[in-house]
């Protein structure tokens, strides 16, 4: 069974640009969550999608957005990139909400110059 | 607890010894706790979980202890092996939901 896949794995952007990251959950999983990981702030929850609806949201500005498609694949978008957005963006999938174990992908390393 | 992550504590342990990693969580309403292991270049990997109606849960070479009175969680790794070298995170959530709040992490270095 394939794990969570994230594309691209590495990305370099400049300030002011926007970026879209993609996540394909494990087959059959319907919940996708996104996290930002930085050395300074650690792992922080961005948002969760289930059945194409955002179910939970963390404390991030509106520049961070996401969506989920009918096949459960998810994308997150960051607009007007700032230097501080440089981070590892992790996607996690689970079968449903409140079903315990989440499986993480390898992440997308975003560098903003 | 809330992730701070700036200063990652490190636990150095001799191969074959037992390791104990501690975590203080922040939300008294949290009812589901998970330990994750993250190796360099990879995403966090699930190790073991525990619900708030339990005090202890055992897995293969790992044991998680939960003390709700002082909001403390620990992970014990028996007979630590070189492959256990990684950063370990505790995470908490309410109603066993998918919105995880991670601790700052502990780096474990296994010395041969």
């Amino acid at each position: 069974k394939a794990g969570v896949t994230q594309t691209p794995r590495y990305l370099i952007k400049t300030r002011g640009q926007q970026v879209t990251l993609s996540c394909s959950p494990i087959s059959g999983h319907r919940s996708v969550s996104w996290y930002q990981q930085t050395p300074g702030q650690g792992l922080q929850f961005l948002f969760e999608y289930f059945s194409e609806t955002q179910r939970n949201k963390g404390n991030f500005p509106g520049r961070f957005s996401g969506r989920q498609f009918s096949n459960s694949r998810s994308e997150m978008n960051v607009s007007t990139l700032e230097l501080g957005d440089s981070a590892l963006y992790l996607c996690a999938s689970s079968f449903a909400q409140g079903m315990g174990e989440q499986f993480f992908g390898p992440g997308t390393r975003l560098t903003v110059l | 607890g809330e992730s701070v992550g700036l200063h990652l504590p490190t636990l150095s342990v001799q191969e074959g010894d037992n390791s104990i990693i501690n975590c203080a969580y922040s939300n008294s309403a949290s009812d589901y706790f998970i330990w994750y292991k993250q190796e360099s270049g990879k995403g966090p990997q699930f190790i073991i979980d525990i619900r708030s109606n339990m005090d202890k849960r055992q897995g293969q070479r790992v044991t998680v202890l939960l003390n709700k009175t002082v909001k403390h969680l620990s992970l014990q790794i028996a007979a630590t092996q070189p492959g256990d070298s990684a950063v370990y995170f505790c995470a908490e959530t309410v109603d066993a939901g998918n919105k995880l709040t991670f601790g700052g992490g502990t780096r474990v270095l296994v010395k041969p």
Side-chain angles (χ1 to χ4, degrees):
Chain A
K1 195 176 192 179
V4 177
T5 57
Q6 293 187 244
T7 56
R9 291 293 312 277
Y10 302 92
L11 206 48
I12 299 175
K13 293 285 188 179
T14 57
R15 278 180 299 176
Q17 288 187 309
Q18 73 161 11
V19 67
T20 299
L21 312 181
S22 180
C23 171
S24 292
I26 291 171
S27 178
H29 284 193
R30 297 168 60 196
S31 172
V32 174
S33 298
W34 289 88
Y35 293 83
Q36 182 196 64
Q37 185 173 27
T38 61
Q41 297 299 316
L43 276 151
Q44 293 188 300
F45 175 82
L46 280 156
F47 27 66
E48 178 196 8
Y49 286 86
F50 179 77
S51 292
E52 302 177 63
T53 303
Q54 187 179 91
R55 303 291 179 160
N56 270 304
K57 191 177 190 307
N59 296 322
F60 279 83
R63 300 185 297 108
F64 291 81
S65 63
R67 60 177 175 168
Q68 187 180 34
F69 302 95
S70 58
N71 61 358
S72 295
R73 190 178 70 86
S74 177
E75 290 180 347
M76 67 163 283
N77 183 277
V78 188
S79 62
T80 320
L81 283 165
E82 301 177 359
L83 295 178
D85 297 333
S86 294
L88 181 67
Y89 290 89
L90 292 158
C91 166
S93 79
S94 65
F95 180 71
Q97 289 183 292
M99 293 294 289
E101 185 176 352
Q102 294 184 58
F103 296 83
F104 280 82
T108 294
R109 172 72 63 186
L110 172 65
T111 302
V112 182
L113 302 176
Chain B
E2 285 296 323
S3 298
V4 290
L6 194 58
H7 300 288
L8 204 58
T10 299
L11 174 68
S12 290
V13 60
Q14 203 70 38
E15 181 179 355
D17 288 351
N18 296 335
S19 304
I20 299 177
I21 307 164
N22 296 302
C23 174
Y25 64 91
S26 59
N27 190 350
S28 56
S30 293
D31 58 3
Y32 179 61
F33 305 87
I34 312 108
W35 280 99
Y36 283 93
K37 170 186 179 183
Q38 187 175 26
E39 297 173 283
S40 182
K42 297 183 179 179
Q45 177 188 358
F46 175 94
I47 301 173
I48 191 168
D49 59 1
I50 188 167
R51 296 191 183 271
S52 59
N53 60 353
M54 302 174 70
D55 297 323
K56 178 179 179 179
R57 188 158 189 238
Q58 290 184 287
Q60 188 176 11
R61 282 201 308 117
V62 293
T63 300
V64 56
L65 299 177
L66 174 64
N67 185 330
K68 294 180 288 294
T69 303
V70 295
K71 294 191 288 187
H72 183 268
L73 198 64
S74 69
L75 177 70
Q76 300 177 3
I77 305 174
T80 312
Q81 302 169 358
D84 295 327
S85 292
V87 178
Y88 290 80
F89 294 96
C90 65
E92 60 183 292
T93 187
V94 177
D95 294 334
N98 290 336
K99 181 180 179 179
L100 297 176
T101 299
F102 281 85
T106 298
R107 186 182 307 279
V108 172
L109 293 175
V110 182
K111 297 177 287 186

